[in-house]
Amino acid sequence: MSTAGLTFPEGVIAATLTPMHRDLSADIDMLVGHVRFLLENGCNGIALLGTTGEANSFSSTERKAILEGILLGGISPDKIVVGTGCCSFPETVELTNHAMSHGVGGVLMLPPFYYKQIDDDGLFEYFKLVLQKVDRVGLHIYLYNFPKLSGIAYTPALIGRLIDRYPAQIAGIKDSSGDFSNMSALARSFPEFRVYTGTEKFLLDLLNEGGAGTISATVNIYSNLAAEVYSKWQEGSKEASELQKKLTTRRTALDGIPFVPLLKAIIARRSGNDQWLHLRPPHHLFEPHVIGEFS
Amino acid sequence: MSTAGLTFPEGVIAATLTPMHRDLSADIDMLVGHVRFLLENGCNGIALLGTTGEANSFSSTERKAILEGILLGGISPDKIVVGTGCCSFPETVELTNHAMSHGVGGVLMLPPFYYKQIDDDGLFEYFKLVLQKVDRVGLHIYLYNFPKLSGIAYTPALIGRLIDRYPAQIAGIKDSSGDFSNMSALARSFPEFRVYTGTEKFLLDLLNEGGAGTISATVNIYSNLAAEVYSKWQEGSKEASELQKKLTTRRTALDGIPFVPLLKAIIARRSGNDQWLHLRPPHHLFEPHVIGEFS
């Protein structure tokens, strides 16, 4: 699929980690280096400050500084989608306006995730309020569906209402539900709406259903392999299927392990740079049993 | 039980609602009026900016202004425990230092609630970091255990570790787990640690087990009745038991209904002031079937 007017790429998008100094402040130079590495190794774009980037462990002030930092470091804003969905609408509005004023390709929006027993009407009211208060010119929102962490699902019915009301702004979804039937149904139901799978296990299958690609944590450590699947699919090559099997096997080996400490541990081992081991609590360091296979 | 050095009261504590203007900014005058009403109608203290106060729908800046506003309005800081637990440690530190600099009776701390698959070690690291960064003199932390919303439980093992490490700071818990066996076990295991039940259904039973009282949303609408249970229990009167039955019946009628819109609707009806109906999304207005019984 392709959607007119969207600058953010389809394909393989890494939800980047956020490297830190010993004092747990973000290390912008290291982050710029890592993002550049990902873009040079097969990633079409970057999701900044998502779950993997420990977004919710940073204050709004810090989040704005991190985005500014990587743009100053020379990363093209078109390649960036940035997480701006907070529990409170004033913070969501503030981060969204900040991101758009820096020309990013889009924002990735969690639903407000503290309260539960929340229905579609409540979420629709929330989006209505946010969209009243942000600059909507050029705004592209990618919904961030991760019910296991947020406790809130973007239902197909709600997505349909949002697209009807805000067709120019509601650009797509990162679906981290892990439910392929949900993402393929979204791709089929809303052809102008970009559906990225949150796990690259479904990359090829979702592309074949009209999906846009993957926005994934784990492609931080094997972006080239995911990119090969995508490019072989674009070429219509049968090799895509074999490569997807390999990608799925690698990804399946990581099932059930908390991603943030896992990925930081793997990259620390691989790079020989222990600064990668710094994490903000409540995440903490551990020695994943699978680390050897990836380092 | 009684704990030396604690200024915040035991007994009946209302987790106050936050009244709002039409533009959804907090109406401080109305909030001061409501808090004063609660304190004059049986409440020993107030939990400000908890779940019921829509804390997580306000930005940090707004949360600080709301606390300052009610203190300027003449409410005694000793009577206030204020919610300061955010997802990110910098915001938790900022709100906690702000609250303590205003002399409040304590802070009510949610665990960092976005990430899941979090273990006791991760939560302990989080508290260690926060307690390194706040002014610990006179700081009294009440843990806010509400796993249905936060997705994270404060386990007895973690609570024990926190009390061992920070005996002067870890003052108590609001246990909204709904699990009486959990709260009574905490009250018995940690005699210097104040255990408040999150539902007044268990008020009398928990007092009899050495608990401190209740910090509850629903006492916004029948604080006097809860206060009668507490005072009869203090007097050793057998009437406490009959009053508790009445309190439990009233509370049980509200089971399963989202509290924030419910309580705002009841108070709007009762007071004839529709300004009470303003809510921040994702909460939204509805007409609860039980409203007639309480208005």
Side-chain angles (χ1 to χ4, degrees):
Chain A
M1 63 152 296
S2 73
T3 308
L6 298 185
T7 55
F8 187 68
E10 302 191 346
V12 174
I13 314 300
T16 183
L17 295 157
T18 305
M20 297 175 193
H21 297 286
R22 179 174 296 274
D23 69 0
L24 305 185
S25 60
D27 187 327
I28 302 293
D29 290 342
M30 237 172 117
L31 177 59
V32 169
H34 183 61
V35 166
R36 187 164 288 140
F37 171 86
L38 290 167
L39 292 172
E40 288 168 358
N41 284 274
C43 289
N44 302 95
I46 298 293
L48 183 72
L49 290 167
T51 301
T52 313
E54 297 173 71
N56 295 300
S57 298
F58 286 92
S59 69
S60 296
T61 308
E62 291 177 307
R63 290 166 74 154
K64 290 189 282 186
I66 289 168
L67 173 58
E68 291 170 23
I70 77 155
L71 298 179
L72 273 172
I75 305 300
S76 167
D78 274 8
K79 303 283 192 202
I80 302 287
V81 69
V82 57
T84 62
C86 300
C87 291
S88 80
F89 76 79
E91 285 162 310
T92 300
V93 165
E94 181 189 349
L95 291 181
T96 301
N97 277 333
H98 176 265
M100 295 316 298
S101 75
H102 285 84
V104 298
V107 297
L108 188 60
M109 219 177 260
L110 281 170
F113 56 82
Y114 177 68
Y115 292 101
K116 306 299 186 285
Q117 289 186 288
I118 295 302
D119 59 19
D120 283 1
D121 288 342
L123 293 173
F124 190 76
E125 286 303 311
Y126 177 87
F127 274 86
K128 227 170 79 180
L129 187 64
V130 167
L131 280 144
Q132 274 166 16
K133 291 176 183 291
V134 294
D135 180 4
R136 284 154 61 175
V137 178
L139 172 62
H140 298 130
I141 295 175
Y142 295 87
L143 305 172
Y144 190 178
N145 191 44
F146 203 163
K148 274 178 207 149
L149 293 195
S150 68
I152 303 280
Y154 288 114
T155 65
L158 174 66
I159 293 167
R161 284 170 71 183
L162 288 170
I163 292 172
D164 280 349
R165 175 78 174 247
Y166 305 105
Q169 283 80 31
I170 303 295
I173 193 167
K174 165 172 162 55
D175 188 355
S176 298
S177 67
D179 176 0
F180 181 70
S181 66
N182 188 63
M183 43 192 108
S184 58
L186 292 175
R188 285 194 305 268
S189 305
F190 307 112
E192 297 299 306
F193 179 73
R194 288 176 165 181
V195 181
Y196 297 86
T197 166
T199 165
E200 62 276 19
K201 284 182 189 175
F202 301 135
L203 174 57
L204 185 59
D205 286 343
L206 186 63
L207 290 168
N208 285 330
E209 296 279 344
T214 185
I215 302 178
S216 158
T218 40
V219 298
N220 272 276
I221 54 170
Y222 42 61
S223 49
N224 279 315
L225 179 57
E228 280 185 82
V229 173
Y230 185 58
S231 66
K232 291 296 174 193
W233 172 80
Q234 285 180 305
E235 294 165 15
S237 161
K238 286 179 183 168
E239 286 176 65
S241 180
E242 277 310 303
L243 288 162
Q244 176 66 55
K245 277 184 200 154
K246 199 170 152 193
L247 183 65
T248 300
T249 302
R250 299 217 102 186
R251 175 58 189 72
T252 303
L254 307 176
D255 276 355
I257 309 172
F259 280 159
V260 181
L262 170 71
L263 296 174
K264 284 193 159 178
I266 289 172
I267 297 181
R269 177 79 70 93
R270 188 188 274 179
S271 65
N273 181 354
D274 277 355
Q275 198 191 318
W276 273 107
L277 297 176
H278 299 310
L279 288 158
R280 288 196 169 197
H283 289 304
H284 66 93
L285 207 60
F286 69 104
E287 186 70 7
H289 66 278
V290 296
I291 193 170
E293 301 169 38
F294 289 88
S295 55
Chain B
M1 64 153 294
S2 75
T3 308
L6 298 185
T7 55
F8 187 68
E10 302 191 347
V12 175
I13 315 299
T16 184
L17 295 156
T18 305
M20 297 175 193
H21 296 285
R22 180 174 294 275
D23 69 359
L24 305 185
S25 60
D27 186 327
I28 301 293
D29 289 343
M30 237 172 116
L31 177 59
V32 169
H34 183 61
V35 165
R36 186 164 290 140
F37 171 87
L38 291 167
L39 291 172
E40 287 168 358
N41 283 273
C43 290
N44 303 95
I46 298 293
L48 182 73
L49 291 168
T51 301
T52 313
E54 297 174 70
N56 295 299
S57 298
F58 287 92
S59 69
S60 296
T61 307
E62 292 177 308
R63 290 166 71 154
K64 289 188 283 185
I66 289 168
L67 173 59
E68 290 170 24
I70 76 154
L71 299 180
L72 273 172
I75 305 299
S76 167
D78 274 9
K79 302 282 191 202
I80 303 286
V81 68
V82 56
T84 62
C86 300
C87 290
S88 79
F89 77 79
E91 285 162 311
T92 300
V93 166
E94 181 189 350
L95 291 181
T96 301
N97 276 334
H98 176 266
M100 295 315 299
S101 74
H102 286 83
V104 298
V107 298
L108 188 60
M109 219 178 261
L110 281 170
F113 55 84
Y114 177 68
Y115 292 102
K116 306 299 187 285
Q117 290 188 288
I118 295 302
D119 60 18
D120 283 1
D121 288 343
L123 293 174
F124 190 76
E125 286 304 311
Y126 176 86
F127 273 86
K128 226 169 80 180
L129 187 64
V130 167
L131 279 145
Q132 273 165 17
K133 290 177 184 291
V134 293
D135 181 4
R136 284 156 59 176
V137 178
L139 173 62
H140 299 131
I141 295 174
Y142 294 87
L143 304 172
Y144 190 179
N145 191 45
F146 203 164
K148 274 179 206 146
L149 294 195
S150 67
I152 303 278
Y154 287 115
T155 64
L158 173 64
I159 293 167
R161 283 170 71 183
L162 288 170
I163 292 172
D164 280 349
R165 177 76 175 250
Y166 305 105
Q169 283 80 32
I170 303 295
I173 193 167
K174 166 173 163 50
D175 188 354
S176 298
S177 67
D179 177 359
F180 181 70
S181 66
N182 188 63
M183 42 193 111
S184 58
L186 291 175
R188 285 193 305 269
S189 303
F190 307 113
E192 296 300 307
F193 179 73
R194 286 177 167 182
V195 182
Y196 297 85
T197 166
T199 166
E200 62 275 19
K201 284 181 189 174
F202 302 137
L203 174 57
L204 184 59
D205 284 345
L206 187 63
L207 290 169
N208 285 330
E209 296 279 344
T214 186
I215 302 179
S216 158
T218 39
V219 297
N220 273 275
I221 55 168
Y222 41 61
S223 49
N224 279 315
L225 179 56
E228 280 185 81
V229 174
Y230 185 58
S231 67
K232 290 298 174 192
W233 172 80
Q234 284 180 307
E235 294 165 16
S237 162
K238 285 179 182 169
E239 288 175 62
S241 182
E242 278 310 304
L243 289 162
Q244 176 67 55
K245 277 183 198 154
K246 198 171 153 194
L247 184 65
T248 300
T249 302
R250 300 217 101 187
R251 175 59 189 72
T252 302
L254 307 176
D255 276 354
I257 309 173
F259 281 158
V260 181
L262 170 70
L263 297 175
K264 285 193 160 179
I266 290 171
I267 296 181
R269 177 80 70 94
R270 188 187 276 179
S271 64
N273 181 354
D274 277 356
Q275 198 190 319
W276 272 107
L277 297 176
H278 298 311
L279 289 157
R280 288 197 167 197
H283 288 303
H284 66 93
L285 209 59
F286 68 103
E287 186 71 6
H289 66 279
V290 296
I291 193 171
E293 301 170 37
F294 290 89
S295 54

PDB file of all heavy atoms in Angstrom, chain A residues 115-138:
ATOM      1  N   TYR A 115      -5.788   4.652  33.518  1.00  0.00           N
ATOM      2  CA  TYR A 115      -7.137   4.202  33.852  1.00  0.00           C
ATOM      3  C   TYR A 115      -7.527   3.001  33.001  1.00  0.00           C
ATOM      4  O   TYR A 115      -7.125   2.891  31.844  1.00  0.00           O
ATOM      5  CB  TYR A 115      -8.129   5.353  33.698  1.00  0.00           C
ATOM      6  CG  TYR A 115      -7.866   6.414  34.749  1.00  0.00           C
ATOM      7  CD1 TYR A 115      -7.181   7.586  34.441  1.00  0.00           C
ATOM      8  CD2 TYR A 115      -8.242   6.196  36.066  1.00  0.00           C
ATOM      9  CE1 TYR A 115      -6.896   8.534  35.420  1.00  0.00           C
ATOM     10  CE2 TYR A 115      -7.964   7.138  37.056  1.00  0.00           C
ATOM     11  CZ  TYR A 115      -7.288   8.302  36.735  1.00  0.00           C
ATOM     12  OH  TYR A 115      -6.996   9.220  37.704  1.00  0.00           O
ATOM     13  N   LYS A 116      -8.289   2.096  33.604  1.00  0.00           N
ATOM     14  CA  LYS A 116      -8.776   0.931  32.886  1.00  0.00           C
ATOM     15  C   LYS A 116     -10.317   1.046  32.842  1.00  0.00           C
ATOM     16  O   LYS A 116     -10.860   2.104  33.133  1.00  0.00           O
ATOM     17  CB  LYS A 116      -8.304  -0.368  33.565  1.00  0.00           C
ATOM     18  CG  LYS A 116      -6.779  -0.441  33.780  1.00  0.00           C
ATOM     19  CD  LYS A 116      -5.973  -0.392  32.476  1.00  0.00           C
ATOM     20  CE  LYS A 116      -4.477  -0.610  32.661  1.00  0.00           C
ATOM     21  NZ  LYS A 116      -3.724   0.517  33.221  1.00  0.00           N
ATOM     22  N   GLN A 117     -11.010  -0.008  32.439  1.00  0.00           N
ATOM     23  CA  GLN A 117     -12.479   0.048  32.238  1.00  0.00           C
ATOM     24  C   GLN A 117     -12.810   1.235  31.328  1.00  0.00           C
ATOM     25  O   GLN A 117     -13.800   1.932  31.536  1.00  0.00           O
ATOM     26  CB  GLN A 117     -13.237   0.259  33.561  1.00  0.00           C
ATOM     27  CG  GLN A 117     -13.252  -0.919  34.506  1.00  0.00           C
ATOM     28  CD  GLN A 117     -14.164  -0.632  35.706  1.00  0.00           C
ATOM     29  OE1 GLN A 117     -13.844   0.166  36.579  1.00  0.00           O
ATOM     30  NE2 GLN A 117     -15.306  -1.293  35.756  1.00  0.00           N
ATOM     31  N   ILE A 118     -11.947   1.511  30.353  1.00  0.00           N
ATOM     32  CA  ILE A 118     -12.136   2.653  29.462  1.00  0.00           C
ATOM     33  C   ILE A 118     -12.735   2.134  28.159  1.00  0.00           C
ATOM     34  O   ILE A 118     -12.250   1.149  27.606  1.00  0.00           O
ATOM     35  CB  ILE A 118     -10.767   3.329  29.197  1.00  0.00           C
ATOM     36  CG1 ILE A 118     -10.198   3.921  30.488  1.00  0.00           C
ATOM     37  CG2 ILE A 118     -10.869   4.375  28.091  1.00  0.00           C
ATOM     38  CD1 ILE A 118     -11.076   4.939  31.162  1.00  0.00           C
ATOM     39  N   ASP A 119     -13.780   2.767  27.683  1.00  0.00           N
ATOM     40  CA  ASP A 119     -14.421   2.286  26.462  1.00  0.00           C
ATOM     41  C   ASP A 119     -14.032   3.178  25.269  1.00  0.00           C
ATOM     42  O   ASP A 119     -13.320   4.171  25.410  1.00  0.00           O
ATOM     43  CB  ASP A 119     -15.940   2.195  26.641  1.00  0.00           C
ATOM     44  CG  ASP A 119     -16.556   3.538  27.002  1.00  0.00           C
ATOM     45  OD1 ASP A 119     -15.913   4.592  26.765  1.00  0.00           O
ATOM     46  OD2 ASP A 119     -17.690   3.545  27.516  1.00  0.00           O
ATOM     47  N   ASP A 120     -14.513   2.779  24.089  1.00  0.00           N
ATOM     48  CA  ASP A 120     -14.192   3.515  22.860  1.00  0.00           C
ATOM     49  C   ASP A 120     -14.615   4.980  22.946  1.00  0.00           C
ATOM     50  O   ASP A 120     -13.923   5.863  22.420  1.00  0.00           O
ATOM     51  CB  ASP A 120     -14.877   2.863  21.655  1.00  0.00           C
ATOM     52  CG  ASP A 120     -14.172   1.591  21.199  1.00  0.00           C
ATOM     53  OD1 ASP A 120     -13.167   1.210  21.826  1.00  0.00           O
ATOM     54  OD2 ASP A 120     -14.628   0.990  20.207  1.00  0.00           O
ATOM     55  N   ASP A 121     -15.757   5.242  23.562  1.00  0.00           N
ATOM     56  CA  ASP A 121     -16.223   6.632  23.665  1.00  0.00           C
ATOM     57  C   ASP A 121     -15.212   7.489  24.431  1.00  0.00           C
ATOM     58  O   ASP A 121     -14.947   8.622  24.057  1.00  0.00           O
ATOM     59  CB  ASP A 121     -17.586   6.697  24.371  1.00  0.00           C
ATOM     60  CG  ASP A 121     -18.711   6.171  23.500  1.00  0.00           C
ATOM     61  OD1 ASP A 121     -18.525   6.071  22.265  1.00  0.00           O
ATOM     62  OD2 ASP A 121     -19.782   5.854  24.053  1.00  0.00           O
ATOM     63  N   GLY A 122     -14.684   6.933  25.503  1.00  0.00           N
ATOM     64  CA  GLY A 122     -13.713   7.679  26.301  1.00  0.00           C
ATOM     65  C   GLY A 122     -12.435   7.945  25.521  1.00  0.00           C
ATOM     66  O   GLY A 122     -11.860   9.041  25.596  1.00  0.00           O
ATOM     67  N   LEU A 123     -11.994   6.948  24.772  1.00  0.00           N
ATOM     68  CA  LEU A 123     -10.774   7.134  23.978  1.00  0.00           C
ATOM     69  C   LEU A 123     -11.029   8.102  22.826  1.00  0.00           C
ATOM     70  O   LEU A 123     -10.182   8.937  22.497  1.00  0.00           O
ATOM     71  CB  LEU A 123     -10.265   5.791  23.444  1.00  0.00           C
ATOM     72  CG  LEU A 123      -9.752   4.838  24.529  1.00  0.00           C
ATOM     73  CD1 LEU A 123      -9.441   3.470  23.924  1.00  0.00           C
ATOM     74  CD2 LEU A 123      -8.522   5.394  25.237  1.00  0.00           C
ATOM     75  N   PHE A 124     -12.202   8.031  22.237  1.00  0.00           N
ATOM     76  CA  PHE A 124     -12.536   8.959  21.150  1.00  0.00           C
ATOM     77  C   PHE A 124     -12.557  10.399  21.685  1.00  0.00           C
ATOM     78  O   PHE A 124     -12.005  11.310  21.054  1.00  0.00           O
ATOM     79  CB  PHE A 124     -13.884   8.585  20.521  1.00  0.00           C
ATOM     80  CG  PHE A 124     -14.175   9.344  19.259  1.00  0.00           C
ATOM     81  CD1 PHE A 124     -13.536   9.010  18.077  1.00  0.00           C
ATOM     82  CD2 PHE A 124     -15.076  10.399  19.252  1.00  0.00           C
ATOM     83  CE1 PHE A 124     -13.788   9.711  16.896  1.00  0.00           C
ATOM     84  CE2 PHE A 124     -15.336  11.112  18.089  1.00  0.00           C
ATOM     85  CZ  PHE A 124     -14.690  10.770  16.904  1.00  0.00           C
ATOM     86  N   GLU A 125     -13.141  10.593  22.853  1.00  0.00           N
ATOM     87  CA  GLU A 125     -13.152  11.929  23.479  1.00  0.00           C
ATOM     88  C   GLU A 125     -11.721  12.434  23.706  1.00  0.00           C
ATOM     89  O   GLU A 125     -11.425  13.612  23.542  1.00  0.00           O
ATOM     90  CB  GLU A 125     -13.886  11.901  24.822  1.00  0.00           C
ATOM     91  CG  GLU A 125     -15.393  11.793  24.712  1.00  0.00           C
ATOM     92  CD  GLU A 125     -16.005  12.920  23.885  1.00  0.00           C
ATOM     93  OE1 GLU A 125     -15.663  14.091  24.141  1.00  0.00           O
ATOM     94  OE2 GLU A 125     -16.791  12.624  22.968  1.00  0.00           O
ATOM     95  N   TYR A 126     -10.873  11.526  24.123  1.00  0.00           N
ATOM     96  CA  TYR A 126      -9.473  11.883  24.365  1.00  0.00           C
ATOM     97  C   TYR A 126      -8.810  12.364  23.066  1.00  0.00           C
ATOM     98  O   TYR A 126      -8.169  13.424  23.030  1.00  0.00           O
ATOM     99  CB  TYR A 126      -8.740  10.668  24.941  1.00  0.00           C
ATOM    100  CG  TYR A 126      -7.262  10.881  25.165  1.00  0.00           C
ATOM    101  CD1 TYR A 126      -6.787  11.422  26.353  1.00  0.00           C
ATOM    102  CD2 TYR A 126      -6.330  10.529  24.189  1.00  0.00           C
ATOM    103  CE1 TYR A 126      -5.428  11.606  26.563  1.00  0.00           C
ATOM    104  CE2 TYR A 126      -4.976  10.720  24.388  1.00  0.00           C
ATOM    105  CZ  TYR A 126      -4.530  11.255  25.580  1.00  0.00           C
ATOM    106  OH  TYR A 126      -3.186  11.437  25.774  1.00  0.00           O
ATOM    107  N   PHE A 127      -8.986  11.619  21.994  1.00  0.00           N
ATOM    108  CA  PHE A 127      -8.386  12.027  20.717  1.00  0.00           C
ATOM    109  C   PHE A 127      -8.991  13.330  20.202  1.00  0.00           C
ATOM    110  O   PHE A 127      -8.287  14.169  19.649  1.00  0.00           O
ATOM    111  CB  PHE A 127      -8.508  10.895  19.672  1.00  0.00           C
ATOM    112  CG  PHE A 127      -7.368   9.930  19.783  1.00  0.00           C
ATOM    113  CD1 PHE A 127      -7.404   8.867  20.668  1.00  0.00           C
ATOM    114  CD2 PHE A 127      -6.208  10.118  19.035  1.00  0.00           C
ATOM    115  CE1 PHE A 127      -6.329   8.003  20.799  1.00  0.00           C
ATOM    116  CE2 PHE A 127      -5.125   9.258  19.158  1.00  0.00           C
ATOM    117  CZ  PHE A 127      -5.188   8.193  20.044  1.00  0.00           C
ATOM    118  N   LYS A 128     -10.285  13.485  20.391  1.00  0.00           N
ATOM    119  CA  LYS A 128     -10.944  14.719  19.964  1.00  0.00           C
ATOM    120  C   LYS A 128     -10.312  15.913  20.671  1.00  0.00           C
ATOM    121  O   LYS A 128      -9.998  16.934  20.042  1.00  0.00           O
ATOM    122  CB  LYS A 128     -12.446  14.638  20.313  1.00  0.00           C
ATOM    123  CG  LYS A 128     -13.371  15.048  19.214  1.00  0.00           C
ATOM    124  CD  LYS A 128     -14.825  14.704  19.544  1.00  0.00           C
ATOM    125  CE  LYS A 128     -15.444  15.700  20.500  1.00  0.00           C
ATOM    126  NZ  LYS A 128     -16.862  15.366  20.822  1.00  0.00           N
ATOM    127  N   LEU A 129     -10.104  15.756  21.962  1.00  0.00           N
ATOM    128  CA  LEU A 129      -9.519  16.835  22.757  1.00  0.00           C
ATOM    129  C   LEU A 129      -8.079  17.118  22.304  1.00  0.00           C
ATOM    130  O   LEU A 129      -7.691  18.281  22.099  1.00  0.00           O
ATOM    131  CB  LEU A 129      -9.553  16.431  24.232  1.00  0.00           C
ATOM    132  CG  LEU A 129      -9.148  17.486  25.239  1.00  0.00           C
ATOM    133  CD1 LEU A 129     -10.123  18.659  25.225  1.00  0.00           C
ATOM    134  CD2 LEU A 129      -9.089  16.890  26.649  1.00  0.00           C
ATOM    135  N   VAL A 130      -7.305  16.061  22.155  1.00  0.00           N
ATOM    136  CA  VAL A 130      -5.906  16.246  21.725  1.00  0.00           C
ATOM    137  C   VAL A 130      -5.878  16.928  20.351  1.00  0.00           C
ATOM    138  O   VAL A 130      -5.121  17.886  20.137  1.00  0.00           O
ATOM    139  CB  VAL A 130      -5.162  14.891  21.693  1.00  0.00           C
ATOM    140  CG1 VAL A 130      -3.825  15.012  20.963  1.00  0.00           C
ATOM    141  CG2 VAL A 130      -4.940  14.372  23.118  1.00  0.00           C
ATOM    142  N   LEU A 131      -6.734  16.489  19.448  1.00  0.00           N
ATOM    143  CA  LEU A 131      -6.698  17.038  18.088  1.00  0.00           C
ATOM    144  C   LEU A 131      -7.274  18.450  17.999  1.00  0.00           C
ATOM    145  O   LEU A 131      -7.003  19.175  17.038  1.00  0.00           O
ATOM    146  CB  LEU A 131      -7.360  16.068  17.106  1.00  0.00           C
ATOM    147  CG  LEU A 131      -6.366  14.960  16.735  1.00  0.00           C
ATOM    148  CD1 LEU A 131      -7.024  13.618  16.560  1.00  0.00           C
ATOM    149  CD2 LEU A 131      -5.571  15.335  15.477  1.00  0.00           C
ATOM    150  N   GLN A 132      -8.038  18.846  19.009  1.00  0.00           N
ATOM    151  CA  GLN A 132      -8.447  20.254  19.099  1.00  0.00           C
ATOM    152  C   GLN A 132      -7.267  21.136  19.478  1.00  0.00           C
ATOM    153  O   GLN A 132      -7.242  22.322  19.190  1.00  0.00           O
ATOM    154  CB  GLN A 132      -9.503  20.448  20.203  1.00  0.00           C
ATOM    155  CG  GLN A 132     -10.937  20.202  19.782  1.00  0.00           C
ATOM    156  CD  GLN A 132     -11.844  20.076  21.007  1.00  0.00           C
ATOM    157  OE1 GLN A 132     -11.483  20.441  22.117  1.00  0.00           O
ATOM    158  NE2 GLN A 132     -13.035  19.546  20.782  1.00  0.00           N
ATOM    159  N   LYS A 133      -6.315  20.549  20.205  1.00  0.00           N
ATOM    160  CA  LYS A 133      -5.295  21.364  20.845  1.00  0.00           C
ATOM    161  C   LYS A 133      -3.936  21.309  20.162  1.00  0.00           C
ATOM    162  O   LYS A 133      -3.009  21.993  20.582  1.00  0.00           O
ATOM    163  CB  LYS A 133      -5.155  20.946  22.323  1.00  0.00           C
ATOM    164  CG  LYS A 133      -6.377  21.336  23.148  1.00  0.00           C
ATOM    165  CD  LYS A 133      -6.286  20.853  24.579  1.00  0.00           C
ATOM    166  CE  LYS A 133      -7.554  21.184  25.346  1.00  0.00           C
ATOM    167  NZ  LYS A 133      -7.726  22.630  25.588  1.00  0.00           N
ATOM    168  N   VAL A 134      -3.784  20.458  19.150  1.00  0.00           N
ATOM    169  CA  VAL A 134      -2.496  20.393  18.458  1.00  0.00           C
ATOM    170  C   VAL A 134      -2.623  21.056  17.094  1.00  0.00           C
ATOM    171  O   VAL A 134      -3.715  21.246  16.578  1.00  0.00           O
ATOM    172  CB  VAL A 134      -1.988  18.943  18.278  1.00  0.00           C
ATOM    173  CG1 VAL A 134      -1.667  18.317  19.618  1.00  0.00           C
ATOM    174  CG2 VAL A 134      -2.979  18.091  17.495  1.00  0.00           C
ATOM    175  N   ASP A 135      -1.470  21.382  16.554  1.00  0.00           N
ATOM    176  CA  ASP A 135      -1.426  21.901  15.187  1.00  0.00           C
ATOM    177  C   ASP A 135      -1.599  20.707  14.239  1.00  0.00           C
ATOM    178  O   ASP A 135      -0.729  19.842  14.154  1.00  0.00           O
ATOM    179  CB  ASP A 135      -0.082  22.594  14.959  1.00  0.00           C
ATOM    180  CG  ASP A 135       0.012  23.163  13.552  1.00  0.00           C
ATOM    181  OD1 ASP A 135      -0.986  23.092  12.794  1.00  0.00           O
ATOM    182  OD2 ASP A 135       1.090  23.690  13.209  1.00  0.00           O
ATOM    183  N   ARG A 136      -2.729  20.674  13.532  1.00  0.00           N
ATOM    184  CA  ARG A 136      -3.040  19.491  12.728  1.00  0.00           C
ATOM    185  C   ARG A 136      -2.432  19.526  11.330  1.00  0.00           C
ATOM    186  O   ARG A 136      -2.506  18.523  10.604  1.00  0.00           O
ATOM    187  CB  ARG A 136      -4.557  19.310  12.639  1.00  0.00           C
ATOM    188  CG  ARG A 136      -5.118  18.752  13.934  1.00  0.00           C
ATOM    189  CD  ARG A 136      -6.575  19.109  14.161  1.00  0.00           C
ATOM    190  NE  ARG A 136      -7.431  18.593  13.107  1.00  0.00           N
ATOM    191  CZ  ARG A 136      -8.760  18.691  13.131  1.00  0.00           C
ATOM    192  NH1 ARG A 136      -9.356  19.286  14.151  1.00  0.00           N
ATOM    193  NH2 ARG A 136      -9.472  18.223  12.145  1.00  0.00           N
ATOM    194  N   VAL A 137      -1.826  20.643  10.959  1.00  0.00           N
ATOM    195  CA  VAL A 137      -1.256  20.734   9.608  1.00  0.00           C
ATOM    196  C   VAL A 137      -0.035  19.819   9.517  1.00  0.00           C
ATOM    197  O   VAL A 137       0.951  20.009  10.229  1.00  0.00           O
ATOM    198  CB  VAL A 137      -0.863  22.183   9.263  1.00  0.00           C
ATOM    199  CG1 VAL A 137      -0.233  22.236   7.864  1.00  0.00           C
ATOM    200  CG2 VAL A 137      -2.075  23.104   9.352  1.00  0.00           C
ATOM    201  N   GLY A 138      -0.120  18.845   8.672  1.00  0.00           N
ATOM    202  CA  GLY A 138       1.016  17.933   8.485  1.00  0.00           C
ATOM    203  C   GLY A 138       1.160  16.886   9.575  1.00  0.00           C
ATOM    204  O   GLY A 138       2.113  16.112   9.571  1.00  0.00           O
TER     205      GLY A 138
END
